[in-house]
């Protein structure tokens, strides 16, 4: 029997359990439900790195006071079509949807809006905020950084200087096009998933201090127990920026726009702040206001179809639009259940029991 075979858990069962864990850790029912829904949504989209694997770490952060339940994103500058918001280290799953809702409201009023959010707890899968804007028919662009987290070596270097600084764009075609990725070669959560026996990393995803390329999670986490938390503070190596000098340049811009410009701060020395926080600079565009909506949609949809009609590079292969893999996996996992690595599931069970939450058989 394969003891490392994934455990398959129904989406509803898993979401309910995670919700109970966050209620037991001190969130009210609405916030606990939002965190559970968002984390499960990442698993459904296939981004297990930003899904329920994060639960023990979120609970640890909450207990340490690094992330705070019951916060509201506060508007600190209001320019009508632009605003600066402070998340006050509230759960990202609370303050980022609030910031996005404000951006949607203002773009519906003015045609476009720019929202700078700082000091948000971990906001998880950034594509979720593009999808929130898409539900209102808006284009959105999100530059994100993680202040207080340095994990990524810039092009040409071996030392950590960037966070995994993700970037997302959503376009309201039918189906929508949703680009959403970390500017690191792999998201940190993917190293976490690999360290739990999940999908192995590409052999060149990480870099050792001496410049040797590595796919071994120990490069980032140092020594760790099979079940239990891992900390990147214990490792000596770094994740590499994606796309050589170009991806490294995009990471640079995410740090400057989402970190320096929002006021939340750039990726800095490890533990300088004692906690991490996401910054997000979001641009919302309403095609209806620009008067180009009908033509734009038709042209974009025709273009997507033409790109997808490209001859595949491998026999039986297929050209996909950004967002397509997530949509397909969501349908499959909603029907069949969410696969979790046994170590991930064991960590969640351990966390639930510590908080006195009953785990369904
Ligand atoms: P990834 O490397 O899996 O890339 C995902 C993107 O590539 C998606 O837009 C997807 O639709 C597209 N894609 C994937 N396969 C494709 C194919 N065959 N053809 C065409 N397009 C394809 O993602 P990642 O870099 O590992 O990021 C994972 C998640 O981590 C993201 O949701 C990101 O927002 C999140 N993240 C969050 C933070 C944070 O601080 N909150 C930090 C880093 C990453």
């Amino acid at each position: 029997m394969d003891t490392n075979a994934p455990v398959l858990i129904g989406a509803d069962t898993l979401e309910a359990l995670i919700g109970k864990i966050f209620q037991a850790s001190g969130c009210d029912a609405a916030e606990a439900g939002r965190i559970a829904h968002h984390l499960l949504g990442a698993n459904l989209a296939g981004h297990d790195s930003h899904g329920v694997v994060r639960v023990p770490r979120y609970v640890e952060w909450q207990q340490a006071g690094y992330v705070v339940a019951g916060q509201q994103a506060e508007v600190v500058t209001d320019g009508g079509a632009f605003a600066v918001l402070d998340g006050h280290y509230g759960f990202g799953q609370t303050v980022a949807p609030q910031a996005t809702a404000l951006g949607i409201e203002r773009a519906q009023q003015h045609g476009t809006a720019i929202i700078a959010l700082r000091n948000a707890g971990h906001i998880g899968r950034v594509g979720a905020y593009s999808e929130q804007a898409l539900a209102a028919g808006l284009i959105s662009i999100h530059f994100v950084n993680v202040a207080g987290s340095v994990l990524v070596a810039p092009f040409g270097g071996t030392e950590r200087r960037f966070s995994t600084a993700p970037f997302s764009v959503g376009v309201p075609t039918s189906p929508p096009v949703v680009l959403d990725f970390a500017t690191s070669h792999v998201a940190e959560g993917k190293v976490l998933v690999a360290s739990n026996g999940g999908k192995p990393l590409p052999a060149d995803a990480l870099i050792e201090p001496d410049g040797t390329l590595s796919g071994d999670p120990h490069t980032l986490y140092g020594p760790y127990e099979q079940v239990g938390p891992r900390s990147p503070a214990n490792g000596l190596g770094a994740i590499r920026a994606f796309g050589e000098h170009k991806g490294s340049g995009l990471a640079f811009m995410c740090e400057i726009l989402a970190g320096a410009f929002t006021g939340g701060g750039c990726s800095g020395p490890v533990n300088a702040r004692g906690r991490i926080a996401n910054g997000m600079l979001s641009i919302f565009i309403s095609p209806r206001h620009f008067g180009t909506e009908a033509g734009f949609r038709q042209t974009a949809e025709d273009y997507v179809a033409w790109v997808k009609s490209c001859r595949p590079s491998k026999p039986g292969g297929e050209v996909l639009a950004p967002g397509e893999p997530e949509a397909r996996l969501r349908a499959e996992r909603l029907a069949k259940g969410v696969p979790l690595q046994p170590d991930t599931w064991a960590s969640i069970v351990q966390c639930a029991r510590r908080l006195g939450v009953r785990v369904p058989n």
Side-chain angles (χ1 to χ4, degrees):
M1 195 179 106
D2 178 6
T3 51
N4 212 28
V7 186
L8 208 57
I9 305 184
D12 290 347
T13 308
L14 191 54
E15 187 169 336
L17 172 65
I18 304 306
K20 284 184 191 144
I21 290 177
F22 284 102
Q23 280 196 59
S25 75
C27 296
D28 67 24
E31 183 159 56
R34 270 196 304 275
I35 300 167
H37 189 70
H38 181 102
L39 292 179
L40 183 83
N43 285 101
L44 291 176
H47 293 293
D48 296 338
S49 58
H50 284 67
V52 299
V53 70
R54 300 263 170 172
V55 169
R57 199 184 276 182
Y58 275 22
V59 169
E60 246 178 68
W61 284 346
Q62 189 182 2
Q63 288 172 343
Y66 292 167
V67 65
V68 188
Q71 296 299 299
Q72 294 286 321
E74 182 198 359
V75 179
V76 289
T77 303
D78 193 340
F82 65 87
V84 180
L85 273 67
D86 195 315
H88 295 300
Y89 300 98
F91 272 96
Q93 289 77 9
T94 291
V95 296
Q98 287 172 353
T100 305
L102 183 69
I104 291 169
E105 184 195 311
R106 297 297 175 84
Q108 282 170 334
Q109 224 177 321
H110 302 288
T112 118
I114 299 181
I115 304 291
L117 171 68
R118 66 183 179 221
N119 300 333
H122 189 247
I123 65 173
R125 186 177 75 91
V126 180
Y129 310 110
S130 294
E131 287 162 4
Q132 190 180 340
L134 285 169
L138 302 184
I139 296 171
S140 68
I141 304 165
H142 308 263
F143 297 89
V144 177
N145 88 322
V146 201
S149 162
V150 246
L151 295 171
V152 180
F155 177 70
T158 63
E159 288 180 303
R160 303 178 186 187
R161 289 294 184 270
F162 301 143
S163 63
T164 52
F167 174 73
S168 178
V169 181
V171 177
T173 44
S174 180
V177 181
V178 187
L179 181 66
D180 169 30
F181 56 71
T183 52
S184 48
H185 195 313
V186 290
E188 191 240 306
K190 292 206 167 141
V191 190
L192 187 65
V193 168
S195 76
N196 281 332
K199 191 175 171 202
L201 298 175
D204 60 351
L206 310 177
I207 187 161
E208 290 283 348
D210 67 359
T212 311
L213 304 187
S214 155
D216 177 355
H218 290 94
T219 300
L220 194 70
Y221 295 132
Y224 50 78
E225 300 293 326
Q226 198 190 351
V227 173
R230 285 107 170 77
S231 170
N234 298 333
L236 298 174
I239 311 177
R240 296 175 70 218
F242 90 110
E244 307 300 334
H245 56 293
K246 304 180 193 185
S248 187
L250 182 55
F252 229 125
M253 291 307 180
C254 285
E255 289 293 346
I256 289 171
L257 296 178
F261 181 70
T262 64
C266 301
S267 156
V270 180
N271 290 334
R273 312 167 144 243
R275 59 179 161 193
I276 64 135
N278 275 132
M280 175 160 75
L281 184 77
S282 303
I283 301 166
F284 300 89
I285 302 168
S286 165
R288 186 170 58 83
H289 285 74
F290 282 69
T292 57
E293 190 171 33
F296 154 68
R297 273 178 195 268
Q298 194 56 58
T299 308
E301 285 169 15
D302 290 350
Y303 182 69
V304 170
W306 186 62
V307 172
K308 283 178 57 57
S309 74
C310 174
R311 187 185 312 114
S313 57
K314 290 184 189 145
E318 189 184 1
V319 173
L320 301 176
E324 238 181 323
E326 286 79 3
R328 287 184 185 181
L329 215 52
R330 195 174 289 125
E332 185 188 318
R333 290 185 168 186
L334 275 172
K336 295 186 183 161
V338 176
L340 294 182
Q341 287 309 312
D343 286 358
T344 302
W345 177 235
S347 298
I348 293 169
V349 169
Q350 201 180 59
C351 176
R353 296 213 168 115
R354 254 202 319 268
L355 291 165
V357 173
R358 202 183 68 78
V359 178
N361 293 321

